[in-house]
Each structure stands twice: as structure tokens, then as C-alpha cells.
């Protein structure tokens, strides 16, 4: 039986090619994901270990420089005491924070969040061990900076050139003293690193004479744990110390957890691709078994048992799966290399290191490939073994019994009904638990539809048949009949497309719906023409607000300044705004009172908070401010809740009395004349053409809040393309098998006058009908799931309303039709080239 299985594999190489491709693609996705994440993890772990190489004790301070009472970091005196301890060879102290570099056009180099600044900390030899200078030297004066090599190249800077650098304050110009190389993670992620002279960096990021981090190198023979015990008593309350080895292990663990998240997402899409591949594999083996019914009957007649027949089919599947898994593993390794290179192409550099191929991806590839193939082939093999020898000898195509169809339809109906009920129940719950229930219901419903889809194919295709006949004549009529001749095969092929399009359509519906809700929320709540913020996401300096207030053409300006206080014993989040201007830049709908009372030192309370605490206009509430001073605040207004306003509003003057440094996240500006190039330029000029400060118009604001959704959708589309590609292979395979089975019939059609052109058209139309049928099922299911998920989110999205992306749905249908046309190219050509006399003679 094993020889028979091997012979069958070699005899049907072309027919099994599609199965090999389907398994190979799925395995490549799995193994490539594992190799890629293993390689990435190893590279970052090595980088982390290298950054702490030689560090015996690492000290980190979590001081807030704006806190007047607390210690602003580790003082120079403490650093000197640490350096004097027994067993200490050297001490390196550092500070760091945001720093953005302008390119020759004044634009920010890097991505904002990964743009950093730090101090140059030379040792006794005048060199900083963390940086290797390729040109020039480190900064040793207040007016000097050094840049990493990539940033210098992007800005076309040479040693001695002036460089405009922005931190959280006004932009300043420095002289470039040197260019260095670094393994810093921020630079690897596409950011930049600026080195300042230590006193300058301390003033920018901590306080004069203070540091945020201290690395201690041990003398030869000194024990790191004992050294840690000596360092701890010297540190302020807001600093912690760990051994370098412990910190490296902790960072390696964090990296591993971060990679696990990426790994799970990619593996989920690989699982979808393999799930789709199951239908293709099952289809292939079902058709191969059907074509060998006489052969199987002969084997049974000469003594082969049912179990041996089943084992023969499974052995054949195992051989195919083994070959596909081996090729898929090699392709997966290439995919991992490509993903790594792709990250570099998008500006996200990966630390250097070898490609890591462990036993896990190898065993996973072989296990998944062989197991998936044999699992998909088990049912066709079992069906083959059940055919009685005499019945098989007398009939090439054994029709399924009425009992089997009834059982199948009942099971499918039960699954579909249970899944639909779970989806509806989850939508009604409208919370996180409801979304989990929807996910479970979606899986169950999809299984039910897959079971029922052969039964659905007949009525759906019957609806399209009149159109096929009226437009394409005889070729259309034959295509419609062929599409439902074998409902199980048609259903299995359509199922593969349906799964992919269910996911794509569902995500499109929810993405477009959420995007429009976010867009509506933005436009309904923001009246300002521009929003100003830091590219890093950090707070703006107060000087930016002062500069904007004086800019020409400004009609109104108000910050969104964070403030925290206790009101009546409860902590409350507050926004400090400019009275009189805030109503012109943001929508503040008053319920009772007058928001203008903010100018008199009163506060405004959001309606939900007022109801919760029983507060009303005129109430005087005891308050404890951020500086722990106590006072009383009178409620001057109650306003409708807004996504862009905190539950408590106060004037910037009230907040300034209790804050050392304001925490300004955004500044909203309304201009005379609205949005114009002149007005935008005036704001940019007023801010000193600071590359680190973003000036966004209304469209930019909408893109910032809704753009992430479109980016996620595009990534999902790209990942799901693998599943759709496998579905295309399924259509090709089904048509090829169908043409092979109908050689005699096609020969007869040619003999009675059907020319080659109409034979090709018949096969193409059959492919298009099957593809559109699968697409239609997937789109209907996807819309239903998108609606359900949207219902579960509507409590978190003010103004939620379901949006059906008809344009995208139309594109999906067109692509499904195109899939059918492309998939039919080879089978249609093969059918048209059949020799009619040989085909008629074929048994």
C-alpha cells in the first residue's frame, strides 16, 4: 500500500502541485514568523546585553524635575561617593530626553517618539565608551552637539556645520563637533540621537548637577551583588539600583514578551491561511479518490481492507505534506530575511546579528505541514474505503446518499443557528465580554455556513443562470450547470474564498464605521483651524503658548493643559484653558451656568461628573491642588461631556498658581480668515520654525485620530492576501480537476460544434460563478460580523452609526471575478486544446 501511495503521488504530480503550493504557503508563513521573531528577539537581546556589558550596577532615577520638593535626580555628590566605593573601577552618569534635529528644509528628522538627546560622558581618556566617533569628537562646550551617523547623513551635515536642534523649549542652533555610531534602540527604530555637553543636557533634562542614570563598572575581582549593597544606601528615595546582569535579563524578558505579541498576531494569520488550505487539500484528495474509484475497487477485490485503503490515501497525503513542509520551511527562512530587510527599508533598522533558526520552526513546519495535509485527506480517504467494490466497479461517481445529505444539512443548520445566536447576544451586551462572545459565535457560524455551502450553491447559482444564458448563450448555460454539478466540490472551493472575504469585509465595515465615528467626533468637537503639539507626544513649553498668542492673524487660542486636583475628597482630571477663547476653538455646550465664569476663577464641571457627585452651579467645593495646597473652587457651569475636554475645566491662571511647569499637550488656534497657507506660515514662524512642533490643520487632525485605523486595515489586507492567494489556487485546482473529469463531455461538445473560444468561455464563466458565489457568502457574513462588532463598540463611540463601505464591497466583488478569470486561464486553455477524438474515447 505504501508503494501504491508513492506511485499515485508520482502519477499525479501536476494535480497535486496546487496542494503542495497551498501547504507550502501556509507553512512558510508559520516558519517565517517563528524564524523572524526569534531572530528579532535574539538581535535585541544581544543589543541589550551589549549595552550593559561591563556594567556591574545600574542606577536609575525616577525623579520629576518639576517637583520642587523632590530630589531632581542623582546628584554629582552622590556620583562621587559611588566612585569612591571599594571595588568600583569607573562610573558613567547620564541624562536623556527628547531632542529633534531639523533637516535642510526645516523638517524633523526621525519619527518624533524615538528622537532622543543625551549627554556626552567622557572617561579619563576623553572617550565615551558608549559611542565610537567616525568623524570629529564629542561636544565639550555649551554650543556644540554630536549626531549619530544616520541622522547626519539624512540632514547632509558635516563636522563644523550649524545644526538646529529642538527640545521641549525653543529651537536652538549648535555647531556639529562630531559624528558617531551607536547601537541605541531609538536610532535603530528610525529615530535620532543628539549628544550635548553634560551641563547643557542636565539643564535640559534634569537639573544642574544631577543625573537620571548611573552605570557602575566593577574593578577586577569585585562582586556585583556586594557592590550593589554598598551603592543602595547612598541613593535618594526616587532612585533604584540593580545589577547589570539583572537589568539585562529583565530587558530580555520584556523583549521576549513584546515579540510574543507580534508572534501571535502573525501566527493567527498563518492559521487562517492554513485553515483555508484545508479546503483546497480536501478538494484535491476528494477528486483524486473519485478518479481512482475503479482502482480502489480492484484493490478491495484482491483483498485490501478498508483500513488499508484509508492508510494508502493518508500515506499519499503524508508524502505530499512532507515535501510541501520542507519547501515551505526554506521559503519561510527566505520570508524571515525579507521581513528583516523590509523593516530596514521602512526606516526601522534591526540590530545586527545572525539569522536564528531553532528547532521550533523546523519541527513546527514539518508537524503543521504533514498534520494539516493528512487531516484534510482523512475524510476523502475514509469515504473511498467505504465504497463497496462492486458499486465502485459499476459507477465512477458514487452519489452521496440522501441520509448523508440530511445529516450534513441538519448539523450545518445547528452550527449556523448557534453561531448567529451568539453573535446577536454579544452585540446586545455591548461590552468587552460581548466581543469575545461575537468572536466565538463567528467561528461557530462560519463552520455552519461551510457545512451548508454546498446546499446553498444550487439556489444561488440558479438565480444567476438566466443572466448567463441571456448574455453568453450556450457557454453561459453550460457554465451554470457545471458550477452546481458537484455541489460539494463547488462548496469547498467557494468556502476558501468565503473565509477570506468574511474577514476582509468584516474588518472593512468596522474600520470604516469607527473611522467615520472618530472623524465625526473630531469635527463636531473642534472648531479651531489648527492644533499645535509636540512631535514626540510630550508637553509643549509655555513659551509656545505665549508665541502663538502674539502671532499675527490669531483670533483665539487656548491650551489643553493637564491639571490634577482633589475636589470634595475625590481625585479629578482637569483641563486648564483660556477663558473666552476655549469656546471659540472647542465645542463647549453649556447645560447650566456660564462657561465665561472661568475668567472669574470658577470651574466648569462635565454633566456626568456633576450628576455622579450631586454638584450644581453655585456649589463651593473644597480643593487640594497638585502642589498640595488647599483652597475652595466654585462651580460656575455644567457642560455636556466631550471627548476633548476633561471632566473639570479651570482657567490657566488658576492652574498656574499651583504648577511649577505647565503640562500643555495641545494648543488649539482659530485664525482670522480660517485655514490658509499664509496663516499656517505665520504660526510656524511664530514658533521659531521649530521642527519638533507640529502645526496641524483640520484635515491633519482628522487624519491623526482616524489614520491609524486605515493603516491597521491596510496591514490586515496584506496579511490576509496569503489566505486569498491559497483560495485562488483552490479555484485553479477545482477547474483543472473538473476539466479532467469532463474530457469525454468536452470532446462531445467540440464534436457537435462548440468551438474552442466558447469552450474557454464556458470554463472561465464557471470559475467566475464559483468565485462570485464564495465572495457573496463572505461579504454577507462579513457585513453581519461588522455590524455586530460595531454594536458592541457603540457605547464607547459617541455618534456611532453603521457605515457600509459600498465602494470597497464593489471592489471585493470585482476582485473575486478577476480571481475567477485568472484562475481559469490554464484550465480553459487545457480544455480548448483537447483532441476531440481522443477525448471521446476516454473512459
Amino acid at each position: 500500500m505504501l508503494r501504491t501511495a508513492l506511485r499515485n503521488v508520482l502519477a499525479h504530480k501536476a494535480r497535486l502541485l496546487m496542494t503542495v503550493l497551498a501547504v507550502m504557503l501556509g507553512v512558510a508563513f508559520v516558519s517565517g514568523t517563528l524564524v523572524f521573531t526569534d531572530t528579532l528577539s535574539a538581535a535585541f537581546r544581544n543589543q541589550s546585553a551589549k549595552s550593559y556589558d561591563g556594567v556591574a550596577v545600574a542606577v536609575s532615577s525616577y525623579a520629576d524635575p518639576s517637583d520642587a520638593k523632590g530630589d531632581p535626580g542623582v546628584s554629582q555628590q552622590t556620583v562621587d561617593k559611588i566612585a569612591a566605593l571599594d571595588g568600583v573601577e569607573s562610573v558613567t552618569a547620564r541624562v536623556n530626553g527628547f531632542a529633534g534635529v531639523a533637516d535642510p528644509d526645516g523638517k524633523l528628522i526621525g519619527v518624533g517618539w524615538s528622537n532622543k538627546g543625551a549627554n556626552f560622558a567622557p572617561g579619563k581618556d576623553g572617550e565615551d565608551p558608549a559611542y565610537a566617533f567616525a568623524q570629529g569628537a564629542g561636544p565639550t562646550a555649551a554650543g556644540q552637539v554630536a549626531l549619530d551617523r544616520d541622522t547626519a547623513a539624512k540632514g547632509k551635515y558635516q563636522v563644523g556645520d550649524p545644526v538646529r536642534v529642538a527640545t521641549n523649549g525653543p529651537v536652538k542652533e549648535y555647531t556639529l563637533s562630531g559624528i558617531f555610531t551607536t547601537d541605541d534602540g531609538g536610532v535603530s527604530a528610525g529615530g535620532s540621537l543628539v549628544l550635548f555637553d553634560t551641563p547643557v543636557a542636565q539643564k535640559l533634562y534634569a537639573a544642574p548637577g544631577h543625573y537620571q542614570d548611573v552605570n557602575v563598572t566593577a574593578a577586577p575581582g569585585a562582586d556585583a551583588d556586594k557592590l550593589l549593597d554598598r551603592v543602595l544606601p547612598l541613593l535618594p528615595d526616587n532612585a533604584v539600583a540593580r545589577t547589570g546582569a539583572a537589568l539585562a535579563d529583565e530587558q530580555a524578558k520584556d523583549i521576549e514578551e513584546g515579540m510574543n505579541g507580534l508572534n501571535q498576531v502573525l501566527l493567527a494569520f498563518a492559521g487562517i491561511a492554513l485553515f483555508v488550505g484545508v479546503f483546497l487539500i480536501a478538494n484535491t484528495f476528494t477528486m483524486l479518490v473519485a478518479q481512482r474509484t475503479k482502482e480502489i475497487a480492484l484493490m478491495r477485490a484482491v483483498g485490501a481492507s478498508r483500513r488499508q485503503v484509508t492508510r494508502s490515501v493518508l500515506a499519499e497525503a503524508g508524502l505530499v505534506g512532507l515535501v510541501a513542509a520542507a519547501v515551505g520551511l526554506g521559503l519561510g527562512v527566505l520570508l524571515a530575511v525579507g521581513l528583516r530587510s523590509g523593516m530596514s527599508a521602512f526606516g526601522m533598522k534591526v540590530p545586527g546579528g545572525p539569522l536564528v533558526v531553532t528547532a521550533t520552526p523546523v519541527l513546527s513546519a514539518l508537524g503543521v505541514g504533514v498534520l494539516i495535509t493528512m487531516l484534510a485527506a482523512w475524510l476523502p480517504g475514509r469515504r473511498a474505503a467505504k465504497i463497496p467494490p462492486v458499486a465502485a466497479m459499476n459507477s465512477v461517481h458514487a452519489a452521496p446518499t440522501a441520509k448523508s445529505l440530511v445529516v450534513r444539512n441538519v448539523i450545518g443548520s445547528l452550527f449556523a443557528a448557534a453561531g448567529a445566536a451568539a453573535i446577536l447576544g454579544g452585540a446586545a451586551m455591548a461590552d468587552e465580554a460581548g466581543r469575545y462572545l461575537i468572536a466565538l459565535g463567528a467561528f461557530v457560524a462560519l463552520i455552519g455556513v461551510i457545512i451548508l455551502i454546498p446546499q446553498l450553491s444550487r439556489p444561488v447559482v440558479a438565480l444567476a443562470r438566466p443572466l448567463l444564458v441571456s448574455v453568453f448563450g450556450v457557454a453561459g448555460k453550460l457554465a451554470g450547470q457545471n458550477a452546481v454539478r458537484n455541489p460539494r466540490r463547488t462548496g469547498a472551493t467557494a468556502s476558501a474564498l468565503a473565509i477570506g472575504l468574511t474577514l476582509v469585509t468584516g474588518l472593512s465595515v468596522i474600520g470604516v464605521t469607527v473611522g467615520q465615528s472618530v472623524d465625526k467626533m473630531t469635527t463636531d468637537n473642534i472648531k479651531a483651524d489648527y492644533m499645535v503639539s509636540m512631535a514626540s507626544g510630550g508637553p509643549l513649553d509655555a513659551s509656545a503658548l505665549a508665541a502663538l498668542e502674539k502671532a499675527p492673524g490669531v483670533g483665539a487660542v487656548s491650551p489643553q493643559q493637564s491639571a490634577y486636583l482633589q475636589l470634595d475628597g475625590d481625585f479629578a482630571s482637569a483641563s486648564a484653558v483660556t477663558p473666552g477663547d476655549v469656546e471659540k476653538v472647542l465645542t463647549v455646550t453649556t447645560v447650566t451656568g456660564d462657561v465665561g465664569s472661568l475668567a472669574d476663577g470658577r470651574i466648569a464641571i462635565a454633566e456626568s461628573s456633576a450628576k455622579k457627585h450631586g454638584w450644581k452651579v453655585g456649589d463651593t467645593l473644597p480643593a487640594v491642588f497638585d502642589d498640595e495646597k488647599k483652597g475652595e473652587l466654585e462651580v460656575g457651569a455644567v457642560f455636556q461631556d466631550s471627548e476633548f475636554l476633561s471632566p473639570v475645566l479651570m482657567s490657566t491662571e488658576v492652574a498656574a498658581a499651583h504648577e511649577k511647569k505647565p503640562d500643555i499637550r495641545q494648543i488649539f488656534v482659530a485664525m482670522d480668515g480660517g485655514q490658509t497657507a499664509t496663516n499656517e506660515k505665520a504660526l510656524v514662524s511664530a514658533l521659531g520654525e521649530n521642527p519638533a512642533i507640529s502645526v496641524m490643520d483640520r484635515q491633519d487632525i482628522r487624519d491623526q485620530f482616524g489614520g491609524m485605523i486605515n493603516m491597521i486595515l491596510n496591514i490586515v489586507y496584506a496579511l490576509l492576501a496569503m489566505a486569498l492567494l491559497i483560495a485562488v489556487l483552490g479555484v485553479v485546482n477545482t477547474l483543472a480537476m473538473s476539466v479532467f473529469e469532463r474530457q469525454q463531455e468536452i470532446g462531445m461538445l467540440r464534436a457537435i460544434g462548440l468551438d474552442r473560444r466558447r469552450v474557454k468561455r464556458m470554463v472561465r464563466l464557471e470559475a467566475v460563478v464559483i468565485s462570485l458565489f464564495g465572495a457573496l457568502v463572505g461579504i454577507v457574513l462579513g457585513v453581519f460580523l461588522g455590524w455586530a462588532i460595531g454594536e458592541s463598540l457603540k457605547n464607547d463611540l459617541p455618534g456611532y452609526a453603521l457605515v457600509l463601505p459600498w465602494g470597497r464591497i464593489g471592489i471585493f466583488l470585482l476582485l473575486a471575478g478577476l480571481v475567477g478569470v485568472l484562475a481559469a486561464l490554464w484550465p480553459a486553455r487545457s480544455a480548448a486544446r483537447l483532441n476531440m477524438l481522443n477525448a471521446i474515447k476516454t473512459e
Side-chain angles (χ1 to χ4, degrees):
M1 298 304 292
L2 183 60
R3 286 198 300 270
T4 301
L6 181 59
R7 188 205 62 170
N8 285 326
V9 169
L10 295 176
H12 302 106
K13 295 186 288 292
R15 299 178 209 168
L16 289 169
L17 178 61
M18 299 303 173
T19 297
V20 170
L21 287 173
V23 178
M24 180 186 71
L25 289 172
V27 169
F29 211 151
V30 172
S31 57
T33 294
L34 293 173
V35 172
F36 173 65
T37 52
D38 284 347
T39 300
L40 216 59
S41 295
F44 282 115
R45 281 198 304 270
N46 292 338
Q47 183 188 57
S48 176
K50 186 178 180 181
S51 63
Y52 291 103
D53 187 25
V55 177
V57 176
V59 177
S60 297
S61 171
Y62 299 97
D64 182 1
S66 64
D67 186 358
K69 295 185 177 180
D71 200 311
V74 181
S75 66
Q76 183 65 54
Q77 292 80 2
T78 301
V79 173
D80 293 339
K81 291 177 182 178
I82 294 173
L85 291 173
D86 290 338
V88 173
E89 181 173 297
S90 62
V91 175
T92 304
R94 300 195 183 278
V95 290
N96 61 79
F98 169 77
V101 181
D103 66 13
D105 297 325
K107 303 296 184 181
L108 181 69
I109 297 175
V111 292
W113 58 268
S114 59
N115 292 339
K116 296 199 313 182
N119 64 308
F120 175 66
K124 295 178 182 179
D125 59 356
E127 301 291 333
D128 190 322
Y131 311 106
F133 277 83
Q135 299 177 36
T140 55
Q144 296 179 341
V145 293
L147 296 177
D148 68 90
R149 183 165 56 189
D150 289 343
T151 302
K154 291 174 185 175
K156 300 179 181 179
Y157 290 119
Q158 300 292 331
V159 173
D161 287 348
V163 180
R164 297 177 72 247
V165 180
T167 55
N168 286 342
V171 63
K172 294 183 179 180
E173 191 172 279
Y174 299 85
T175 299
L176 184 62
S177 66
I179 298 171
F180 58 88
T181 58
T182 177
D183 291 326
D184 184 270
V187 175
S188 297
S192 61
L193 180 60
V194 183
L195 296 182
F196 299 92
D197 183 39
T198 294
V200 174
Q202 288 176 328
K203 186 177 179 181
L204 287 172
Y205 303 127
H210 289 78
Y211 301 93
Q212 295 164 329
D213 303 299
V214 180
N215 291 337
V216 181
T217 303
D223 183 80
D225 291 322
K226 292 181 179 178
L227 195 56
L228 176 64
D229 293 337
R230 298 190 194 112
V231 169
L232 284 172
L234 302 177
L235 301 180
D237 293 339
N238 52 26
V240 296
R242 284 161 288 185
T243 62
L247 195 56
D249 290 343
E250 183 180 319
Q251 288 201 0
K253 184 179 178 181
D254 292 341
I255 290 168
E256 196 72 34
E257 290 177 354
M259 289 295 105
N260 282 340
L262 176 63
N263 204 11
Q264 289 171 6
V265 171
L266 293 176
L267 285 176
F269 286 99
I272 293 169
L274 287 169
F275 186 52
V276 172
V278 166
F279 295 95
L280 191 157
I281 299 164
N283 231 3
T284 301
F285 279 92
T286 297
M287 290 182 279
L288 287 175
V289 167
Q291 292 169 16
R292 299 205 311 265
T293 49
K294 287 190 177 183
E295 176 187 321
I296 293 170
L298 182 60
M299 292 168 60
R300 292 290 310 281
V302 297
S305 66
R306 288 185 175 184
R307 185 172 296 177
Q308 285 179 307
V309 172
T310 303
R311 286 176 180 172
S312 173
V313 176
L314 290 179
E316 186 177 341
L319 290 172
V320 172
L322 188 62
V323 172
V327 178
L329 176 61
L331 189 62
V333 172
L334 294 177
L335 179 63
V337 173
L339 286 171
R340 185 172 176 176
S341 301
M343 291 183 70
S344 300
F346 281 100
M348 298 181 64
K349 294 191 301 178
V350 178
L355 192 71
V356 178
V357 183
T358 63
T360 301
V362 175
L363 295 176
S364 297
L366 294 176
V368 167
V370 175
L371 183 63
I372 288 291
T373 309
M374 293 183 70
L375 180 65
W378 174 77
L379 191 57
R382 186 167 173 269
R383 283 195 195 128
K386 281 185 173 183
I387 300 173
V390 175
M393 286 288 192
N394 293 329
S395 177
V396 175
H397 302 290
T401 64
K403 180 181 177 182
S404 68
L405 291 175
V406 169
V407 171
R408 179 189 182 108
N409 293 337
V410 169
I411 293 173
S413 298
L414 290 174
F415 268 89
I423 292 170
L424 292 172
M429 291 171 66
D431 56 15
E432 187 175 357
R435 288 190 282 277
Y436 284 114
L437 186 58
I438 290 171
L440 176 62
F443 179 75
V444 174
L446 201 56
I447 296 296
V449 170
I450 289 167
I451 296 172
L452 288 172
I453 205 167
Q455 191 69 15
L456 292 172
S457 63
R458 288 185 181 276
V460 174
V461 174
L463 291 174
R465 195 176 299 161
L467 178 63
L468 292 172
V469 174
S470 62
V471 177
F472 300 102
V474 174
K477 181 178 181 179
L478 291 171
Q481 292 173 344
N482 292 334
V484 293
R485 174 177 293 185
N486 190 330
R488 285 187 174 180
R489 187 167 65 204
T490 298
T493 305
S495 294
L497 275 171
I499 293 168
L501 281 173
T502 294
L503 297 171
V504 169
T505 305
L507 289 167
S508 295
V509 169
I510 193 62
V512 172
T513 298
V514 171
Q516 181 156 312
S517 296
V518 171
D519 185 66
K520 187 173 185 296
M521 181 174 63
T522 304
T523 54
D524 286 353
N525 286 280
I526 297 179
K527 297 179 180 178
D529 297 309
Y530 297 97
M531 183 177 80
V532 178
S533 61
M534 289 294 293
S536 63
L540 288 154
D541 191 78
S543 60
L545 177 61
L548 290 172
E549 289 173 339
K550 298 175 183 177
V554 171
V557 58
S558 176
Q560 177 74 292
Q561 180 177 325
S562 299
Y564 300 92
L565 72 160
Q566 291 185 53
L567 277 180
D568 205 10
D570 289 334
F571 282 98
S573 175
S575 291
V577 297
T578 303
D581 281 6
V582 66
E583 304 97 313
K584 299 176 183 177
V585 295
L586 294 172
T587 300
V588 186
T589 306
T590 304
V591 178
T592 57
D594 182 9
V595 178
S597 62
L598 294 175
D600 301 325
R602 299 176 188 174
I603 59 174
I605 306 289
E607 187 176 15
S608 60
S609 295
K611 288 181 178 179
K612 178 181 177 181
H613 296 91
W615 298 333
K616 58 184 183 299
V617 173
D619 287 353
T620 300
L621 308 177
V624 179
F625 295 94
D626 198 36
D627 59 0
E628 298 184 2
K629 291 183 179 179
K630 297 181 179 179
E632 291 185 340
L633 293 172
E634 182 181 341
V635 178
V638 174
F639 63 93
Q640 287 182 4
D641 291 66
S642 169
E643 296 294 320
F644 287 86
L645 293 171
S646 297
V648 179
L649 297 182
M650 64 174 65
S651 72
T652 51
E653 290 184 5
V654 172
H658 303 281
E659 293 179 343
K660 181 179 179 182
K661 186 176 182 180
D663 184 7
I664 303 173
R665 297 292 167 170
Q666 297 101 17
I667 301 174
F668 294 95
V669 184
M671 302 291 290
D672 297 333
Q675 293 178 189
T676 65
T678 301
N679 281 340
E680 184 173 342
K681 186 176 180 180
L683 296 181
V684 172
S685 298
L687 294 166
E689 298 184 354
N690 191 325
I693 298 180
S694 299
V695 178
M696 293 180 283
D697 60 24
R698 292 177 66 83
Q699 186 58 50
D700 293 332
I701 298 170
R702 293 160 69 183
D703 291 343
Q704 183 188 49
F705 289 100
M708 182 64 68
I709 296 170
N710 289 328
M711 186 182 75
I712 293 172
L713 278 178
N714 290 334
I715 293 172
V716 170
Y717 290 159
L719 293 172
L720 285 175
M722 181 74 75
L724 294 175
L725 178 59
I726 293 174
V728 172
L729 295 177
V731 178
V732 176
N733 209 21
T734 295
L735 291 172
M737 292 296 183
S738 179
V739 168
F740 179 82
E741 286 178 359
R742 302 202 311 266
Q743 287 187 64
Q744 191 175 42
E745 175 189 318
I746 293 171
M748 289 295 295
L749 290 171
R750 291 290 316 282
I752 62 175
L754 194 68
D755 59 20
R756 289 186 175 185
R757 181 172 57 85
R758 282 188 286 182
V759 169
K760 287 182 180 180
R761 182 180 297 169
M762 175 186 71
V763 177
R764 290 195 196 103
L765 288 175
E766 182 182 348
V768 171
V769 167
I770 294 172
S771 298
L772 289 177
F773 169 58
L776 186 63
V777 172
I779 287 170
V780 170
L781 281 174
V783 169
F784 180 47
L785 287 177
W787 166 81
I789 296 171
E791 288 294 307
S792 72
L793 291 169
K794 66 180 181 181
N795 290 341
D796 301 321
L797 290 172
Y800 165 84
L802 179 68
V803 179
L804 295 181
W806 294 111
R808 298 191 190 191
I809 290 173
I811 290 172
F812 297 156
L813 284 171
L814 286 175
L815 288 176
L818 181 62
V819 162
V821 172
L822 294 177
L825 289 176
W826 172 53
R829 186 168 179 268
S830 299
R833 294 181 66 183
L834 283 175
N835 184 294
M836 67 180 73
L837 295 179
N838 291 336
I840 291 171
K841 291 190 299 181
T842 301
E843 288 193 25

